[in-house]
Amino acid sequence: MQHDPSDGSSANFVTGTTTLSRRQLLGAAGALSLMAGTAQAQHAMHNHTGASHTADMSPTMGMVPEPPVPAMDQPLVEPEVRRSVNGVLSTTLRVGYAYRQIGGVRLYVRSYEGGSPGPTLRMKPGETLRIKMINDLPPNRDGLPADISYPHQFNNTNFHFHGAHASPSGIADNVMRSMAPGHSYNIEIALPADHTRGTYWYHPHHHGSADIQMSSGMVGAVIIEGDFADVPEIVAARERLLVLSQVVFDASGMIENFETLFPETATRFLAINGQRRPVIEMRPGEVQRWRILNAAYQDDMLLDLEKHELHAIAYDGIQLGAVQPLKQLLIAPGQRADILVKAGGAGTYAFNAAPYDQGHPSPVGPLARVVVSGAPMDMKLPRALPPAPLASIKDTEITNRRKVVLSATAPEADAAGHWQEFGFFIDGKKFDPARIDHRVKLGAVEEWTIVNTHEHDDHVFHIHTNPFQVVSVNGKPLATPEWRDSVIVERKGGQVVFRSRFLDFTGVFMLHCHMMNHEEMGMMQTVEVYKP
């Protein structure tokens, strides 16, 4: 071997028939020394049983290669189901960080039971829900801010049974509780025997942290069983749960700052049951019942199923008195819609969020693909439904009327503004947990007018404990008033008039905008129902 002067050495050494430079020889000697040292280290790490504990000094420097996870087009997976037994649904819910693989992205976010959504809870009217809530999140790293409508202390949590007609006090559906990291808490919510049957849900409601936690996927469905039990076409339909969410994350695949959520264009993509564009399988002519829950943290979605009608049978867990055919379904955060879908001919159909203007563009894109194949089925849609479970509220029942005004302020250059430059108000005030904003006598029947003076955004009005009957929107009476617990109030002076019976339960509960960015920044009030 000829000496290469470019290696910088001045002498060669001969070993057998191979000529080595001084540099090559020193390198070889170092390698032999390293091999010997490694062998000695491995020998030293053998214990008396002969088991090996060799350290992995991987050249990947801690980056562990993982097999690729399909980003989309996998079969729809529904959450784990937990059921009541002998009149009680007793379970635990652990809150902690967990890794999620979704849409080809690996996230590390807060969760219930390590998943998103959390378990589906199924129970019946008259039963009791008992939960041991374990907060395994790490300690908060910040103190309480002077303005509590600045998002804060993201690892405090609590529990809200959204839509339930249940006590808001004590250890029941009490969103004034604070469940701190490192502790466990008992929750016990008893449902009345005449509770409406349908699709409900649960989520955290701790002011300051609820938005961060819900956007991470801390949501889950509650099914109160028994609706439409006498409608054979609905009983025969396969039931699907579709939990809609907006997926957001920062550069580290986490949600640790409010800036990750507040820009109205923050959504990366949409998901169903924590999956990006899953596949829903049907057979030609098959009828399925889809329980749709919009668990998004911020935005409305306009749902469109290619070449199919959607047949609504319930809203917000309350049965309709007649099937409502829809070309598209507008569903706001917090709302639920139970719909029947009758599959057309064999093929693949897109289930999308279509463009919609809510003052800013709602997120758009694919939600699922419906694949219709196999032997045809001869299933029918119901021609009629039983009467709605709640009696309509008559003019003669009204005992009081109120007006609630939603408003907001924004910087002059709205799109460039930081979230701290915005303000969200009800009746000109930000949320104060020490202030009672509305006092209502137990048994009162009231008519409320909700007005949205905000020039920029629609808002989603939600009130706890008692559902309400929407009677008019923007001055136009509804031909058939709708029972809801959440309703869209359009911007620039939009008005919704509803009526509600304040029955059964005293205590303090909330009304707020269910666009959780807005709630977190002050758009919430307290209601106290008292016994005279």
Side-chain angles (χ1 to χ4, degrees), residues 1 208 364 430 500 525:
M1 177 181 292
V364 299
K430 286 188 176 184
S500 185
Q525 284 189 338

Side-chain angles (χ1 to χ4, degrees), residues 490-506:
E490 294 180 359
R491 60 197 179 277
K492 298 181 179 180
Q495 294 190 19
V496 170
V497 178
F498 67 73
R499 296 171 174 180
S500 185
R501 300 183 178 100
F502 292 82
L503 303 176
D504 301 323
F505 302 107
T506 59

Side-chain angles (χ1 to χ4, degrees), residues 280-288 290 303-312 324-329 339-352 368-373 381:
I280 301 173
E281 295 181 347
M282 300 185 71
R283 289 165 58 182
E286 180 185 5
V287 174
Q288 291 188 359
W290 292 1
L303 307 183
D304 180 275
L305 178 55
E306 183 182 9
K307 298 181 180 178
H308 287 74
E309 276 194 341
L310 308 174
H311 304 269
Q324 191 178 100
L326 302 168
K327 295 294 184 184
Q328 295 177 313
L329 169 66
I339 65 171
L340 300 177
V341 175
K342 182 177 174 65
T348 298
Y349 303 93
F351 184 44
N352 290 333
R369 294 196 308 160
V370 178
V371 176
V372 180
S373 63
L381 293 166

Side-chain angles (χ1 to χ4, degrees), residues 63 81 85 110 115 123 181 195 253 286 378 408 436 448 494 521 524:
M63 300 299 291
V81 175
V85 178
R110 298 164 181 84
M123 57 191 301
H195 198 288
E286 180 185 5
D378 185 18
I436 298 297
W448 291 30
M521 296 173 66
M524 183 158 67

Side-chain angles (χ1 to χ4, degrees), residues 118-319:
T120 298
L121 310 178
R122 296 190 73 108
M123 57 191 301
K124 299 178 179 64
E127 295 187 330
T128 298
L129 175 62
R130 290 180 184 151
I131 297 173
K132 181 180 181 180
M133 178 73 78
I134 303 167
N135 187 347
D136 267 350
L137 292 169
N140 291 299
R141 293 179 290 177
D142 59 330
L144 193 67
D147 183 347
I148 65 164
S149 289
Y150 278 16
H152 59 275
Q153 296 185 327
F154 298 150
N155 293 337
N156 291 339
T157 194
N158 60 22
F159 182 89
H160 176 44
F161 189 153
H162 182 121
H165 180 56
S167 171
S169 304
I171 64 169
D173 188 29
N174 183 354
V175 300
M176 299 291 274
R177 298 178 74 186
S178 184
M179 301 179 181
H183 298 275
S184 298
Y185 300 84
N186 292 323
I187 299 162
E188 184 169 314
I189 301 173
L191 297 182
D194 62 351
H195 198 288
T196 47
R197 307 160 192 258
T199 306
Y200 295 84
W201 66 302
Y202 63 90
H203 60 81
H205 210 296
H206 196 289
H207 188 62
S209 64
D211 196 14
I212 289 282
Q213 293 177 7
M214 289 175 61
S215 63
S216 298
M218 282 180 58
V219 300
V222 184
I223 309 300
I224 303 179
E225 298 178 333
D227 62 347
F228 302 111
D230 297 326
V231 182
E233 296 90 347
I234 298 177
V235 172
R238 180 179 180 182
E239 187 175 303
R240 304 272 200 174
L241 173 65
L242 278 60
V243 180
L244 312 182
S245 62
Q246 299 171 256
V247 179
V248 291
F249 49 88
D250 62 20
S252 300
M254 302 178 72
I255 306 174
E256 296 299 313
N257 293 289
F258 194 64
E259 289 88 344
T260 305
L261 305 181
F262 186 78
E264 291 170 339
T265 55
T267 299
R268 304 296 186 105
F269 53 84
L270 302 174
I272 295 181
N273 295 355
Q275 298 173 269
R276 186 174 187 181
R277 202 177 73 183
V279 173
I280 301 173
E281 295 181 347
M282 300 185 71
R283 289 165 58 182
E286 180 185 5
V287 174
Q288 291 188 359
R289 175 183 181 167
W290 292 1
R291 295 183 184 267
I292 301 177
L293 157 60
N294 187 357
Y297 71 95
Q298 173 67 11
D299 291 313
D300 304 338
M301 296 188 202
L302 182 61
L303 307 183
D304 180 275
L305 178 55
E306 183 182 9
K307 298 181 180 178
H308 287 74
E309 276 194 341
L310 308 174
H311 304 269
I313 57 173
Y315 290 129
D316 290 358
I318 303 172
Q319 297 172 222

Side-chain angles (χ1 to χ4, degrees), residues 448-520:
W448 291 30
T449 300
I450 314 301
V451 181
N452 180 8
T453 63
H454 189 185
E455 289 291 309
H456 190 277
D457 285 329
D458 297 350
H459 292 291
V460 181
F461 177 90
H462 170 61
I463 190 168
H464 296 192
T465 308
N466 298 283
F468 52 79
Q469 187 178 36
V470 179
V471 295
S472 75
V473 175
N474 297 334
K476 297 179 181 179
L478 272 62
T480 303
E482 285 184 2
W483 284 94
R484 292 280 196 172
D485 61 47
S486 305
V487 65
I488 296 171
V489 188
E490 294 180 359
R491 60 197 179 277
K492 298 181 179 180
Q495 294 190 19
V496 170
V497 178
F498 67 73
R499 296 171 174 180
S500 185
R501 300 183 178 100
F502 292 82
L503 303 176
D504 301 323
F505 302 107
T506 59
V508 177
F509 53 85
M510 304 297 157
L511 66 84
H512 61 94
C513 178
H514 221 287
M515 300 168 76
M516 295 303 291
N517 284 355
H518 301 167
E519 181 274 339
E520 207 79 286

